[in-house]
Amino acid sequence: MGTKILIAEDEPFIVESLSFLLSREGHTIASVSDGASVLDELKKQRPDLLILDIMLPTTSGFEILRRIREQPEFAALPVLALTAKGQEADRRRMVDLGVDQFMTKPFSNQELVSSVAALLESAKAPQQ
Amino acid sequence: MQRLPIGQRIRNKRKELGLTQSALAQQAGISVSYLNLIEHNKRMIGGALLNRLAAQLGVETSHLSDAEDGPLVQQTLEMARSQSLTGLDEKNVVRLVAENPDWARALLALHRKYQDTAEHALSLSDRLSQDPMLHQLSHAILTQTTSIRSFAEILGQFDDLNAGDQRRFSGIVASQSGQLGSSVRAMIELLGSAMDAPEPLSPEKEVDDFIIAHRNYFDELESATRSLRDEMGVSGKLVATAIAGRLSDRHGIDVRFTDGDTREPSENVFWLDTRAPEASIRFRMAKRLIEIEAADLLDRLVQDSRLTNDDARSLGRRALASYGAGALLFPYQEFLKAAEHHRYDIDRLSAAFGSSFEQTAHRLVTLQRPKAPGVPFAFLRTDPAGNISKPFSIPGLPMPRFGGACPLWAIYAAFSEPGRIVSQLATTQLGERYLFIARTVDKRTAGFGEAPTRYSVMIGCDSLYMDRLVYGDRYATGQASLETPVGFSCRLCERHDCRQRAQPSLLAGDSRQNNRKAPVTGAAAE
């Protein structure tokens, strides 16, 4: 059974390269470019994993994360955050908000593909 | 022993005149071996003997012993040590000052210039890190680099790409590289314009920077005050009495009160203002004790490149002593535990620890021990005219360092309800929400008809921590009408319809609503 990944990112070229890479891994890809619509899109698409750009227009990635984690149905959704801020302090804030993994731009394709695989793998493992 | 170049100068002058040690010793009426010791700086001399030697050598006494020599030797040594210049012999420094004091002065002047330059570079980088334009440009550059890297890797990695994909991906790499070039040029221009010399920072701002750089947490002061408190063996509010006792028993300092302004300054008397609130009095005594007992530690901590002159260092020392006083009166673990227990209720914490609103708020901000952190808070204080002090930022919530904040912030509303806590759920344009808690504080009880010395103090945290704070409860229902739309400062705010706007925004039009990055690349392409 294929897995579905939602990419929340406003840079069309980044969406395109991610979509290309991840569909070659056998995943189904959906994308959303506007921060305010991420939650609606999550409800519609029901993905197995969310890739979230922290610097989205109109709504900050931090705020989106908060809203996602407030919904019980998405409390356990694996989230991979794309960030341009490598600072420790921001990371702590993201961890507090429930980010499972970070990827700092510019990342390598290999790094990204293996992080996605690892996140999906650990999400599949039976919960303790 | 302070090293002075007297011996060296005597030896130099004697040799210049072609005198032997025994000849000079005889003329001066001392033994040869004593003169030898003097010449090798093994004996310090002064007074009559120095005058006699100077007379025999035909020079002024001041030629042998200049009042500036001691500090000059000391400063040259310090300079060498601060630059970790190893292998420089202390004796050589003395010789340098003895023979060529002007060279030593020139070296020191050069070093000061070097320090100023380093400082300038530091403040430039500081200014740039807060520049919104630079922030947008670096974001554009990172995005373009990410696309280029990703497509280049795809092109290299997959052999089975069809011709259409190959063309498209190469096209993207080419176009994004073009954009990257433009962004970089725009950044170079921006950096060029930023190189205009900034105004020198005031000592106050230097101290703010120093505290921010340490993230407002000083572990060494925490453990020093912990030991001091253990040694005094008291807990709770009784610590104030113990502090007064220790000042008097150990340091011979009597605490006395005065109502008027005439106070005889004395080393043995510590004057306190009867009109200062109880909490301030306790705090000042604690601060005085820290200044005495942790003197060496304070001196060491202010040896920091961000504090560039004596004024800044002495101000920094006072700020650290205040930190220490807070740590002594409100010990880390107990205070953190109580804060979590009372859900950060500042009034209840103040009652439990006998502290003022500002002291409690300030101590809350410092609860950032890496292994046991409390809720991360930003801090800001302003006077009624909007003069800002003690700004402390946290990620996502920058506090202004110059000028004013957003006029809609609770810190200003608090002035219309003196003495009452004003809370606010502030929403930024990007939808981030922060909880602000503000209150005015009066520094001194004013008599009838007198104006109080009043400030407004505010702490703020990410709304993520709202359920840990008693102040968050009223917003728990999520009612949108309870939220206040705010900005950070007019210059960086795009709420063009704001009725409190005081200055035009530096950010372009409504671009952010459509495509935040378009104006950046667009401007860069021009």
Side-chain angles (χ1 to χ4, degrees), chain A residues 10 16 24 55 60 96, chain B residues 160 168 430 465 516-517:
Chain A
D10 64 317
E16 184 171 346
R24 285 190 69 119
M55 306 277 289
S60 109
D96 284 345
Chain B
D160 57 343
R168 172 156 176 77
L430 287 178
Y465 306 102
R516 181 174 42 131
K517 286 141 203 165

Side-chain angles (χ1 to χ4, degrees), chain B residues 19 44-45 143 180 188 235 246 263 290 299 329 368 417 430 441 464 474:
Chain B
L19 284 172
M44 301 305 292
I45 57 161
T143 301
L180 182 61
I188 290 170
S235 61
R246 195 169 168 107
R263 302 168 195 189
I290 295 291
D299 285 339
L329 292 170
Q368 290 303 313
E417 292 181 78
L430 287 178
V441 295
L464 165 68
R474 68 183 289 236

Side-chain angles (χ1 to χ4, degrees), chain B residues 32-315:
Chain B
V32 179
S33 57
Y34 189 46
L35 178 60
N36 192 47
L37 288 171
I38 292 170
E39 285 193 359
H40 287 92
N41 283 322
K42 301 269 168 60
R43 290 290 179 278
M44 301 305 292
I45 57 161
L49 179 54
L50 183 65
N51 290 336
R52 221 155 59 227
L53 280 168
Q56 294 302 331
L57 292 167
V59 294
E60 296 287 320
T61 309
S62 63
H63 174 81
L64 297 180
S65 167
D66 192 308
E68 266 188 56
D69 287 341
L72 204 52
V73 170
Q74 198 52 37
Q75 286 167 20
T76 313
L77 273 175
E78 277 169 17
M79 177 199 76
R81 287 192 194 122
S82 74
Q83 296 304 308
S84 308
L85 299 175
T86 48
L88 289 181
D89 190 348
E90 197 173 317
K91 269 190 228 149
N92 290 330
V93 173
V94 175
R95 195 169 301 151
L96 174 73
V97 172
E99 293 175 6
N100 282 307
D102 289 342
W103 272 99
R105 277 185 210 106
L107 257 181
L108 283 173
L110 272 177
H111 181 246
R112 265 193 292 275
K113 282 222 163 106
Y114 158 76
Q115 276 183 318
D116 287 349
T117 313
E119 217 32 61
H120 185 176
L122 204 76
S123 67
L124 268 182
S125 83
D126 191 51
R127 208 172 89 178
L128 287 174
S129 68
Q130 301 196 353
D131 186 306
M133 194 66 190
L134 187 75
H135 187 71
Q136 288 198 10
L137 273 175
S138 42
H139 186 268
I141 289 174
L142 270 174
T143 301
Q144 288 145 3
T145 317
T146 306
S147 302
I148 294 169
R149 177 171 181 180
S150 187
F151 281 110
E153 282 184 12
I154 290 174
L155 285 166
Q157 188 185 352
F158 299 103
D159 299 329
D160 57 343
L161 293 178
N162 63 44
D165 277 349
Q166 271 195 29
R167 262 200 309 279
R168 172 156 176 77
F169 294 168
S170 319
I172 293 172
V173 171
S175 76
Q176 289 286 288
S177 305
Q179 297 252 346
L180 182 61
S182 309
S183 304
V184 169
R185 276 193 295 279
M187 187 177 282
I188 290 170
E189 251 174 55
L190 181 73
L191 295 180
S193 70
M195 295 313 266
D196 311 335
E199 286 179 25
L201 289 179
S202 67
E204 287 78 8
K205 296 292 175 201
E206 286 192 10
V207 171
D208 288 344
D209 285 353
F210 166 70
I211 288 176
I212 289 166
H214 285 85
R215 307 199 60 75
N216 216 335
Y217 177 75
F218 295 88
D219 201 50
E220 285 172 288
L221 266 173
E222 294 284 353
S223 33
T225 50
R226 157 68 49 198
S227 317
L228 178 57
R229 205 177 155 97
D230 287 348
E231 202 186 312
M232 293 197 299
V234 286
S235 61
K237 295 180 182 177
L238 290 175
V239 74
T241 321
I243 290 171
R246 195 169 168 107
L247 277 173
S248 134
D249 299 345
R250 239 189 232 217
H251 306 293
I253 296 174
D254 273 339
V255 175
R256 285 189 217 155
F257 288 89
T258 168
D259 191 21
D261 291 326
T262 45
R263 302 168 195 189
E264 293 278 319
S266 155
E267 275 188 17
N268 304 324
V269 181
F270 183 37
W271 288 106
L272 289 164
D273 188 340
T274 44
R275 294 208 278 172
E278 178 77 22
S280 300
I281 288 169
R282 290 154 41 97
F283 198 84
R284 278 180 210 166
M285 289 195 303
K287 187 171 168 183
R288 184 64 187 260
L289 188 64
I290 295 291
E291 278 171 345
I292 297 168
E293 302 221 6
D296 292 346
L297 176 58
L298 296 178
D299 285 339
R300 191 155 53 73
L301 289 172
V302 295
Q303 292 306 315
D304 187 295
S305 68
R306 288 173 197 85
L307 305 174
T308 60
N309 53 57
D310 285 346
D311 284 348
R313 276 186 288 272
S314 114
L315 210 60

Side-chain angles (χ1 to χ4, degrees), chain B residues 483-509:
Chain B
E483 297 185 10
T484 312
V486 302
F488 288 105
S489 71
C490 290
R491 291 285 193 198
L492 299 180
C493 178
E494 285 182 278
R495 294 190 193 275
H496 295 284
D497 54 349
C498 176
R499 290 182 190 177
Q500 282 277 348
R501 177 167 290 288
Q503 290 163 319
S505 170
L506 285 176
L507 305 173

